[in-house]
Every structure is written in C-alpha cells, then in structure tokens.
Amino acid sequence: MDVLITEWALDSYLNLKHSRAFTDAEYKNTIRPNAELLKDGMPSPHPQFQNPKFWGPATDMAKKTIQCGYKMKWHNVGSGKVQLRLAVVILGGKAFLCQGYVKTNDFVDKREMAKLKIRIRDIGRGHYIYRGML
C-alpha cells in the first residue's frame, strides 16, 4: 500500500520535533519503522496492528467510529513521557498520514479527531497537499 505524507502530517511532525515531543532515536528506531508497516496493507500482517494500545479506529465525541480514520499510538515517548498519536486515513487503497499530536487529555484527542473528519472529506475530494511517500 502506498503511504502518502500530507502537508498536515509534515507540519505536525516539524512542530512535534521542534517541541522535542520525541527524540531522534525514537523517531528513527520506533516511530518511522512503525509507520512504514502500513506499506504492507490492510488488514496488516503485523501483530502490532491487533493491539488496540498501538492501532485502532478513530472515534468522534459520541464515541462513533470515524469511517476511514485510524490512530497509531505510542506511549511514554520523549523525555516528557507523552502519549504520541498519528492520525491515518485509509482510502482508495492508500494510507494518508494526516497529523501527529500529543494526547494530553481526551478533549485534545477528540479535537484532533474532529480535524481528521474534515481531512477525510478533503482527501476524498482530492483537496490535500502531497509532500512525499514513506
């Protein structure tokens, strides 16, 4: 499966890197390799994707599943031991990396999922900026 990097994902990566939400080693050894597992398609052959603490459907404020939306999750990342999330859209046989964020509480998570709903709509219409592939 093609894994596309959107401008939203690149911008959030740069913001997270600037704020030191994760170390270079964590990015190189864990975050990037985990994201690259998406290349093997869905359903994934990798056991990590069966673990709801690593991968799961995106849900909205009403706890309803957001169609085509998913979250990749990492715990105790960086010196602040934060919960890092990567919102992913699976649409048309492609994975779109949409935004990374630090989950500080449930409200932040739901706000990011509201943004993801809009981005899913935009991707479906072809309204996104492509910044590369993994």
Side-chain angles (χ1 to χ4, degrees), residues 1 16 22 29 32 53 66 81 83 86 91-92 97 102 105 120:
M1 171 183 300
L16 289 166
F22 53 84
N29 298 322
R32 173 92 185 216
K53 291 186 179 197
I66 299 170
K81 301 300 179 195
Q83 295 184 52
L86 175 61
L91 191 63
L97 305 183
V102 172
N105 57 49
I120 291 168

Side-chain angles (χ1 to χ4, degrees), residues 63-133:
K63 300 192 186 289
K64 292 184 180 176
T65 299
I66 299 170
Q67 188 174 1
C68 305
Y70 299 88
K71 289 187 290 188
M72 197 172 273
K73 311 167 196 177
W74 297 273
H75 303 271
N76 298 316
V77 176
S79 60
K81 301 300 179 195
V82 300
Q83 295 184 52
L84 187 65
R85 302 290 188 260
L86 175 61
V88 178
V89 172
I90 308 288
L91 191 63
K94 297 177 184 172
F96 297 84
L97 305 183
C98 285
Q99 75 249 24
Y101 61 97
V102 172
K103 179 186 175 185
T104 52
N105 57 49
D106 286 339
F107 179 75
V108 168
D109 200 45
K110 296 309 176 192
R111 187 177 68 221
E112 292 295 331
M113 293 303 95
K115 289 181 194 175
L116 183 63
K117 280 180 159 179
I118 294 166
R119 291 177 175 162
I120 291 168
R121 182 197 65 205
D122 290 346
I123 289 168
R125 294 177 178 170
H127 298 154
Y128 65 94
I129 298 173
Y130 169 82
R131 291 295 181 199
M133 289 179 62

Side-chain angles (χ1 to χ4, degrees), residues 39-57:
K39 292 178 181 180
D40 293 329
M42 287 293 147
S44 177
H46 303 285
Q48 297 96 309
F49 286 85
Q50 303 308 313
N51 180 353
K53 291 186 179 197
F54 172 75
W55 175 260

Side-chain angles (χ1 to χ4, degrees), residues 13 17 22-33 134:
Y13 162 79
K17 184 166 176 56
F22 53 84
T23 66
D24 290 342
E26 286 171 322
Y27 178 77
K28 181 180 176 183
N29 298 322
T30 304
I31 298 167
R32 173 92 185 216
L134 287 186

